[in-house]
Amino acid sequence: MSGFDVGGRLKQLRMQRDLSQRELAKRAGVTNSTISLIEQNSVSPSVSSLKKILDALPVTISEFFAGEEVSREQVFYRASELTEIGDGVLSWRLIGARRPNRRMSILHERYPPGADTGEDMLEHDGEEGGVIISGTIELTVNGEVQLLTAGDAYYFDSRLPHRFRNVSDSECIIVSANNPPSFSDGGDAQHHA
């Protein structure tokens, strides 16, 4: 997660809420050592693990990475202004992370060969769609598996169990959107991670 102090930020948020590592672990359904290792930056959590922990606070992924500040209503975003919310393997760059009252999440996603959102199928409120810009992605939705390539697209109810995997030997790039904006809502909303 390119220079972002995940461990320090998690510890800061946990302490602001007066939670012990044990209590946060219990709420998130992970081990105490998982919280400890993440806070020491000894391990880099997957997006799904981090999301579980943040949901237990609750803090959204965009709040976690963007910090407390909220920006003016920006219209144009340079590549350098997108907020990286990936797990160090997957790169998910969120457009307008600090935009107040954002009603959708738009992501520029990069899946290197072998990248996977995880065996635990993801399920959350809302719907999502995207277009494969380059490469190939294996998308599983509610037990149905498809290989999608450049120009192909998807659109589904996010409450259906789903998973994204790059089973090819080249990077896959996707531009996606979801609503409600999972990366800005509290609770257990999440994008595909």
Side-chain angles (χ1 to χ4, degrees), residues 26-41:
K26 192 171 140 192
R27 288 185 185 187
V30 299
T31 63
N32 300 353
S33 62
T34 299
I35 303 289
S36 176
L37 289 167
I38 293 169
E39 287 189 358
Q40 294 166 37
N41 286 315

Side-chain angles (χ1 to χ4, degrees), residues 53 87 105 177:
I53 294 164
D87 62 5
S105 290

Side-chain angles (χ1 to χ4, degrees), residues 75-157:
V75 176
F76 304 104
Y77 296 85
R78 299 290 172 203
S80 62
E81 295 177 299
L82 305 186
T83 302
E84 176 62 62
I85 56 174
D87 62 5
V89 176
L90 308 179
S91 167
W92 290 344
R93 295 169 59 228
L94 179 62
I95 301 167
R98 295 183 180 94
R99 184 181 175 89
N101 307 312
R102 191 164 44 84
R103 288 190 288 278
M104 67 178 163
S105 290
I106 304 171
L107 290 165
H108 181 273
E109 308 178 24
R110 286 178 184 271
Y111 293 80
D116 187 344
T117 56
E119 288 179 27
D120 292 340
M121 288 288 182
L122 306 161
E123 300 174 46
H124 49 94
D125 286 336
E127 51 188 21
E128 61 192 85
V131 176
I132 288 65
I133 304 301
S134 65
T136 303
I137 197 81
E138 178 193 87
L139 175 57
T140 304
V141 179
N142 204 28
E144 189 177 340
V145 182
Q146 287 286 318
L147 274 180
L148 302 176
T149 59
D152 292 342
Y154 59 89
Y155 189 117
F156 59 89
D157 182 324

